[in-house]
Amino acid sequence: EDLDVIEIDGASNRGVQEARDLIANAGLAPARCPYKVYIIDEVHMLTTESFNTLLKTMEEPPPHVKFILCTTEPNKVLHTIQSRCQRFDFKPIPSSLITSHLKDVLAQEGVEAEEEVISRVAEMGDGSMRDALSVLERLLASGPARLEAALVDEVLGLPDQAQIGIMFDAILDGDPAVALEQASALLGAGTSLDQIISCMIDRLRSLLLVTTCGRDTELLQVTESTRESLAVQAARLDAPGVLYLLSLCEHASRSLRLSVSARAVMDTTIVRMALAENLGDVQSLLGASPVAGAQKK
């Protein structure tokens, strides 16, 4: 760190007094660098009063001061501030590039890893190399010579993907009993209701991409074995069917936070998904929208 580079967390220092302190210190000359640089992270968290306090200094900053404002929500930064800034937008890093870098890191560390592990870690990064590396670091800290898919679930506390797969196959088979049994087993292993619904939404999103864009779509960054598994399941659905199942899960996700019996919400959703074909037939007779029918092939 350098004395002339000051990083401020906008979420923790969002009041008027903090803004006034920043202005007062900005008048001091840098210790050894040509400029004194203020980095304000999460700048959108500053209050309107704080922004207005800083505005005059940002309009006419001292010649030795530079401001760097960082935010993930630029729409919340006052227009009067944005108009005085030079804006740079950083885009999410493609999963393929994150995967490539993770492989290089693992090679340098001398650790082997299954392709599925690398793919899942890259996906968890959600476009951020730092987040992906943080997840990988947690896995490496467990000390294995080889990273396997089961380890990811164990170390990160994620739902057992094999059980999720069995549950989803049961839903597609129209077998609510097996689907409910698998959901109960997941809950017994410590998986939360939110996690189960989230996993189903993620699986349906992948199936939607396969059914609409084809098996080999580049929008889906997964291993070949996972792609093949998705293709088999996608062959049993069409796009309207996937959309209907997604709507059930989205509704359940919202209802979990409001219902006095969240477990009943999840069980009901799983049964409705498993019986979607029958429900679709009834709704078509009642004149419901075509998208309401999850027609299985």
Side-chain angles (χ1 to χ4, degrees):
E1 295 186 3
D2 194 288
L3 292 174
D4 294 323
V5 179
I6 302 97
E7 183 174 358
I8 299 169
D9 181 10
S12 304
N13 302 277
R14 58 197 306 264
V16 175
Q17 187 56 50
E18 286 83 357
R20 288 172 177 164
D21 292 342
L22 188 154
I23 292 171
N25 293 328
L28 302 176
R32 60 180 181 178
C33 297
Y35 298 101
K36 179 174 284 189
V37 181
Y38 287 92
I39 303 173
I40 307 179
D41 194 16
E42 301 294 343
V43 70
H44 65 274
M45 294 294 289
L46 295 180
T47 62
T48 301
E49 292 77 8
S50 297
F51 273 127
N52 289 331
T53 301
L54 289 173
L55 186 57
K56 183 62 177 178
T57 303
M58 291 187 175
E59 284 179 329
E60 300 176 5
H64 60 268
V65 171
K66 300 291 183 183
F67 288 102
I68 299 177
L69 311 182
C70 306
T71 179
T72 53
E73 301 183 52
N75 56 297
K76 292 185 178 180
V77 179
L78 294 183
H79 178 69
T80 50
I81 296 290
Q82 289 197 46
S83 64
R84 289 160 174 80
C85 295
Q86 190 171 8
R87 178 168 168 171
F88 299 92
D89 290 311
F90 296 93
K91 298 179 181 179
I93 303 173
S95 292
S96 57
L97 294 181
I98 295 178
T99 298
S100 177
H101 185 63
L102 293 178
K103 289 181 178 179
D104 290 340
V105 171
L106 288 169
Q108 293 174 23
E109 295 293 328
V111 177
E112 295 183 0
E114 293 180 353
E115 285 291 329
E116 183 179 349
V117 172
I118 302 174
S119 177
R120 288 182 64 187
V121 172
E123 185 177 352
M124 289 178 201
D126 195 24
S128 168
M129 187 70 76
R130 180 184 64 181
D131 290 351
L133 288 172
S134 295
V135 174
L136 182 63
E137 186 177 12
R138 289 174 61 187
L139 295 177
L140 293 176
S142 60
R146 176 179 171 80
L147 298 180
E148 299 179 349
L151 181 70
V152 178
D153 299 332
E154 179 182 347
V155 173
L156 302 180
L158 300 175
D160 187 313
Q161 294 302 307
Q163 283 186 302
I164 292 290
I166 294 172
M167 182 180 70
F168 210 83
D169 281 334
I171 288 173
L172 294 181
D173 290 337
D175 190 341
V178 173
L180 289 173
E181 288 171 1
Q182 290 302 314
S184 180
L186 286 164
L187 290 171
T191 304
S192 70
L193 293 169
D194 281 332
Q195 283 180 309
I196 294 176
I197 295 296
S198 178
C199 283
M200 289 197 293
I201 290 175
D202 288 343
R203 177 65 63 94
L204 286 167
R205 183 254 179 187
S206 297
L207 289 172
L208 183 63
L209 290 177
V210 173
T211 55
T212 55
C213 303
R215 176 190 180 282
D216 299 320
T217 175
E218 294 183 359
L219 296 176
L220 200 58
Q221 298 291 331
V222 295
T223 61
E224 185 59 31
S225 60
T226 301
R227 192 179 295 272
E228 181 60 32
S229 174
L230 289 170
V232 171
Q233 290 184 336
R236 306 173 64 183
L237 290 164
D238 54 15
V242 178
L243 289 174
Y244 177 62
L245 297 181
L246 264 172
S247 70
L248 290 179
C249 289
E250 288 288 354
H251 177 73
S253 180
R254 292 190 295 270
S255 299
L256 285 177
R257 302 177 182 87
L258 304 174
S259 175
V260 294
S261 179
R263 177 67 184 273
V265 170
M266 189 195 72
D267 287 349
T268 301
T269 300
I270 290 175
V271 173
R272 292 186 69 187
M273 291 174 72
L275 300 180
E277 184 174 8
N278 296 332
L279 290 174
D281 292 341
V282 173
Q283 289 167 341
S284 65
L285 291 175
L286 296 175
S289 171
V291 76
Q295 301 300 328
K296 295 177 186 176
K297 294 181 178 180

